[in-house]
Amino acid sequence: MSKNNLYCISWIVLLQFIHVPSMAQDKSGIEAEGKRGIYSLNVFAGGGVSFYLANPGTPSDVKSQVSRIHPTGTLRVMWYPDHLLKVGLETGITNFYSYKIQDSISGNVVVQAVPLLLVFSMPITKRINIFAGPGGYFITSKLDYEGQTKSKTFSVGWMAAGSYEYPINDKVGLAGEIKLLNAFETKDVSMSLQIQLRWKFMEW
């Protein structure tokens, strides 16, 4: 079989998979209403703890104490169509890392990021979902030394996450999520563990 035929078969299988009705959709009454499926908008909100995985940008000529563990928060809005592939937007806030200067001078620096990401999601099982997507990070470095100074930069990057969701009712679910944030232009990488609440606030 030629490579072209294999590519064609792969695309056909992928398209059929994407258009399979979602496991989360209730099809009762849909055909009677003449609808193809149920659509909804869902918001995810939650927080947890973030672990910085890359090398922090501490100055080499001064003594410093680095903190890699910080609180983090996420806000995500997802569109659930009548097939498996979902799409949405994500933002939030996280401190990548911070450090205290312990030398002839004293002060502290916090490197904080606000992501803005386009997110795609698919279910693996009824309760396990994966998320991934590209975007950017608005990064702020805050220096507190004889006054406060801020510097800002923007970095392109991506995110990837996996979650396990326990449904509380047909509109609300509670999820545990592990997520990787990568601002690769500035070489900042963190992993977080979060508890999130999902709320289906609109359905049609």
Side-chain angles (χ1 to χ4, degrees):
M1 184 179 292
S2 67
K3 290 185 177 180
N4 289 334
N5 289 337
L6 286 175
Y7 291 149
C8 290
I9 293 173
S10 299
W11 275 108
I12 290 171
V13 171
L14 179 60
L15 290 173
Q16 290 295 325
F17 177 69
I18 290 176
H19 285 87
V20 172
S22 171
M23 291 178 289
Q25 303 294 343
D26 180 9
K27 297 189 290 183
S28 60
I30 292 175
E31 294 181 358
E33 297 175 6
K35 294 172 61 180
R36 182 180 172 185
I38 296 175
Y39 302 84
S40 65
L41 289 174
N42 294 256
V43 61
F44 294 74
V49 61
S50 173
F51 307 87
Y52 188 72
L53 303 180
N55 293 321
T58 55
S60 58
D61 54 344
V62 297
K63 295 180 181 179
S64 59
Q65 181 181 1
V66 179
S67 176
R68 297 173 178 265
I69 302 175
H70 291 280
T72 185
T74 294
L75 180 64
R76 180 190 299 146
V77 178
M78 298 293 296
W79 174 53
Y80 281 33
D82 61 343
H83 50 79
L84 291 175
L85 185 63
K86 306 170 180 64
V87 66
L89 292 173
E90 177 178 318
T91 186
I93 190 167
T94 185
N95 288 348
F96 275 141
Y97 64 90
S98 63
Y99 60 89
K100 293 181 179 180
I101 300 172
Q102 299 174 329
D103 212 318
S104 56
I105 61 174
S106 62
N108 63 79
V109 175
V110 177
V111 179
Q112 190 176 79
V114 175
L116 183 59
L117 303 159
L118 176 65
V119 180
F120 299 93
S121 174
M122 291 186 72
I124 299 300
T125 68
K126 190 175 181 180
R127 295 187 179 182
I128 298 177
N129 297 274
I130 57 172
F131 301 84
Y137 294 82
F138 299 90
I139 300 175
T140 302
S141 299
K142 300 178 181 179
L143 170 63
D144 188 0
Y145 167 68
E146 295 184 351
Q148 294 186 347
T149 304
K150 294 182 180 180
S151 63
K152 298 183 178 182
T153 187
F154 178 80
S155 174
V156 294
W158 53 269
M159 65 82 73
S163 72
Y164 178 88
E165 181 179 323
Y166 178 79
I168 297 175
N169 54 44
D170 62 342
K171 290 185 177 296
V172 179
L174 189 64
E177 181 176 280
I178 181 169
K179 177 163 59 179
L180 184 69
L181 298 177
N182 189 336
F184 60 78
E185 193 172 8
T186 55
K187 300 180 180 179
D188 291 306
V189 184
S190 70
M191 180 173 289
S192 66
L193 298 174
Q194 298 187 37
I195 299 296
Q196 296 181 350
L197 188 69
R198 179 190 61 81
W199 173 42
K200 183 183 356 181
F201 65 92
M202 185 179 295
E203 183 178 281
W204 66 96

